[in-house]
Amino acid sequence: MSEHDVNMTVSEHDVVNPATEQVVQTVVQADLDRTDEAIARAEAAGGPWREVAPADRGRLLRRFSEVVDSHLEELAQLEVANAGHTIGNARWEAGNVRDVLNYYSAAPERLVGRQIPVAGGLDVTFKEPLGTVGIIVPWNFPMPIAGWGLAPALAAGNTVVLKPAELTPLTAIRLGELALEAGLPEGVFTVIAGKGSVVGERFVTHPAVRKICFTGSTSVGQRIMRGAADQVKRITLELGGKSANVIFDDADLPAAAAAAPMSFLDNAGQDCCARSRILVQRNVFDRFMELFEQAVLGVVVADPSRESSQMGPLISSAQRETVRSYVEGSAEQVDVAFRGKAPGGDGFWYPPTVVLAHGTTERVWREEVFGPVVAVLPFEDEADAIAKANDTQYGLSGSIWTRDVGRAIRVSRGIQAGSLSVNSHSSVRYSTPFGGFKQSGIGRELGPDALDSFTDVKNVFISTS
Ligand code: NAD
């Protein structure tokens, strides 16, 4: 085969089951020409799509939601095989796509503008769609993150081209098929599997893509932001996190300790909202650690297709090496307090690992590990807790455990993060806004706010003279 022939070979990617290391499917990676063709189809579909009557657009999104619901188990099983998500989580994730579509199906008929009092006429505003929106999805939550972008974008009258992560394209590809089955016109929602450096970059440089909705690492987000500047392209960025779980001495300590494991072990810690820093008030530190150890050791790390599994493998061998580099491979002395168990053999397993931090400068305390590793540090008082929680470039989420309502409110207001929970670890509800402060991102997804980032406001003055 000549070098030319090699270059002409269609690029493919083997999708691997992270729990077994077996190839699940081979997916063709779009090149630039295919990407441009898909964007051209999306652009052409834009005019007719924005002309669809609001109630009909809503009805189509509701039908899409119903079709997702009727394929919920299939989508969940696909995600278990592709991403190693536990079956319980994967069912929730497919259900989340259904719910987000259903939530935004009400939006087309409620996308109201304003009437503003002015002299000499009538002044009204419209929320206009942007055109074609490019959605770039990471591998950690392939289904929900796709849904959070595509549902409000389509509801607002945009067409969507969506690029899943190379490692986890299968559920997104299936969602693209289900959209057609539900009756969405061709070109309105297109999934383009391919590399970030090809398809993702093209979304940034192609003039017909008027907005990028990106979720992923801070470094790629920064690159997209720089590239988007060339065309003053709209962006929403959902980036990394290093969220704090702050536990005060007046908290229900057993409840805080029981909830803490899954706040950093859910999805094997590959969660931008993972509470990967635990701050515990010094006078209850030892008691908390005792309770916390029992709770961590009780987490079932097992084959994700088993109903009882609470934590599966990491996504890839490379990700496991990255996680290891924060513990075993670190140049710094890392003080491991205790570890849970993980299966051996095939699969990219890594055990739950709890590390004692000795200050706020250690790498494992400062950087996003994106694995089942948490660092714990004592604090003295409320001011110290807030200062330590905020001593980070990130600001995505966080939790506060206290029985004092005033303190809960003061600390919630004091922590610089977009999504906080008190006496719980919930971060994401489809009806409430989600997004980061500081280097965790720009813009808000979900809830009523998301529609603003998929529309531009147009002001029209009509003279009455
Ligand atoms: P990544 O940034 O490497 O990739 C994310 C997506 O961007 C993938 O689809 C990838 O193909 C694409 N991409 C890569 N290079 C690109 C480029 N030059 N131009 C355009 N697109 C490109 O991140 P990842 O490794 O897939 O995901 C893990 C990271 O994402 C973690 O840091 C995590 O915190 C973050 N994350 C954040 C959120 C959030 O909501 N804030 C959610 C999930 C993941």
Side-chain angles (χ1 to χ4, degrees):
M1 202 186 273
S2 72
E3 196 182 324
H4 177 75
D5 291 334
V6 173
N7 289 338
M8 292 300 286
T9 306
V10 176
S11 150
E12 293 183 333
H13 180 85
D14 284 341
V15 173
V16 170
N17 181 331
T20 64
E21 303 184 33
Q22 300 296 310
V23 174
V24 182
Q25 215 171 297
T26 299
V27 173
V28 173
Q29 307 288 284
D31 58 10
L32 269 185
D33 288 345
R34 283 192 194 197
T35 306
D36 281 357
E37 282 163 25
I39 292 171
R41 279 197 303 276
E43 193 186 14
W49 179 241
R50 59 181 287 176
E51 294 307 319
V52 172
D56 290 336
R57 207 184 311 138
R59 209 170 284 128
L60 279 166
L61 291 176
R62 242 171 342 265
R63 206 182 296 153
F64 189 6
S65 165
E66 286 157 12
V67 172
V68 169
D69 189 47
S70 65
H71 290 79
L72 197 136
E73 189 61 21
E74 177 203 333
L75 287 163
Q77 295 292 350
L78 201 54
E79 204 66 290
V80 173
N82 188 169
H85 289 195
T86 62
I87 182 62
N89 277 11
R91 286 189 187 118
W92 182 90
E93 290 158 16
N96 183 254
V97 176
R98 170 202 59 208
D99 294 343
V100 171
L101 281 166
N102 191 49
Y103 178 73
Y104 286 109
S105 72
E109 291 180 280
R110 292 165 176 78
L111 212 54
V112 291
R114 286 172 297 181
Q115 179 266 310
I116 299 170
V118 290
L122 175 68
D123 194 282
V124 287
T125 66
F126 297 89
K127 289 186 178 170
E128 301 284 14
L130 302 172
T132 296
V133 172
I135 299 175
I136 302 175
V137 180
W139 47 257
N140 62 337
F141 287 111
M143 277 195 281
I145 292 172
W148 303 350
L150 74 93
L154 294 176
N158 304 284
T159 55
V160 168
V161 285
L162 182 144
K163 193 200 89 61
E166 292 92 314
L167 295 174
T168 56
L170 300 186
T171 47
I173 292 170
R174 192 70 188 111
L175 286 172
E177 293 164 357
L178 296 178
L180 293 176
E181 195 178 316
L184 262 74
E186 196 88 37
V188 166
F189 169 49
T190 310
V191 176
I192 314 172
K195 290 185 179 167
S197 56
V198 179
V199 182
E201 290 268 354
R202 190 60 184 139
F203 287 3
V204 178
T205 58
H206 199 301
V209 177
R210 293 309 315 148
K211 177 186 170 108
I212 305 284
C213 188
F214 170 81
T215 304
S217 59
T218 301
S219 58
V220 175
Q222 288 165 335
R223 187 185 167 95
I224 286 176
M225 192 169 176
R226 276 192 285 269
D230 285 344
Q231 296 166 17
V232 195
K233 198 167 280 200
R234 279 31 175 181
I235 49 167
T236 298
L237 302 177
E238 300 286 1
L239 309 175
K242 190 74 186 176
S243 299
N245 176 9
V246 185
I247 299 163
F248 286 94
D249 61 2
D250 66 355
D252 178 342
L253 218 54
M262 292 318 290
S263 79
F264 78 97
L265 295 176
D266 194 52
N267 205 26
Q270 303 163 120
D271 180 348
C272 48
C273 291
R275 277 33 170 201
S276 54
R277 295 184 297 153
I278 304 183
L279 284 159
V280 188
Q281 198 150 12
R282 193 178 291 282
N283 55 338
V284 294
F285 189 86
D286 292 343
R287 178 70 188 130
F288 172 79
M289 289 302 281
E290 280 168 33
L291 296 166
F292 184 41
E293 181 166 2
Q294 290 163 25
V296 169
L297 298 183
V299 173
V300 180
V301 183
D303 175 356
S305 64
R306 268 177 35 192
E307 296 286 337
S308 59
S309 179
Q310 290 177 283
M311 184 184 126
L314 292 167
I315 189 70
S316 65
S317 158
Q319 185 63 17
R320 184 168 56 182
E321 288 318 305
T322 304
V323 173
R324 271 198 186 128
S325 78
Y326 283 94
V327 187
E328 292 91 346
S330 177
E332 293 170 341
Q333 180 69 29
V334 175
D335 191 352
V336 175
F338 54 88
R339 310 185 92 153
K341 286 201 180 68
D346 290 342
F348 310 120
W349 300 97
Y350 194 82
T353 301
V354 176
V355 165
L356 295 175
H358 298 288
T360 57
T361 57
E362 288 161 272
R363 198 171 152 244
V364 71
W365 180 262
R366 300 206 72 80
E367 294 182 18
E368 184 177 48
V369 178
F370 230 51
V373 178
V374 73
V376 195
L377 185 69
F379 68 86
E380 306 304 332
D381 54 21
E382 208 174 295
D384 188 35
I386 294 173
K388 286 193 163 90
N390 286 339
D391 182 12
T392 169
Q393 71 189 30
Y394 294 115
L396 191 54
S397 59
S399 305
I400 299 128
W401 290 78
T402 175
R403 287 192 174 101
D404 179 337
V405 177
R407 168 178 279 166
I409 294 169
R410 284 193 303 275
V411 180
S412 299
R413 298 299 302 272
I415 293 181
Q416 297 154 353
S419 182
L420 290 159
S421 48
V422 175
N423 297 329
S424 73
H425 293 298
S426 92
S427 295
V428 184
R429 286 186 181 77
Y430 59 78
S431 55
T432 61
F434 173 69
F437 279 31
K438 304 198 286 192
Q439 291 191 35
S440 285
I442 291 181
R444 290 295 174 269
E445 300 195 281
L446 298 173
D449 300 62
L451 292 161
D452 288 339
S453 54
F454 291 109
T455 50
D456 263 342
V457 173
K458 180 183 286 172
N459 192 71
V460 178
F461 171 75
I462 305 158
S463 169
T464 48
S465 58

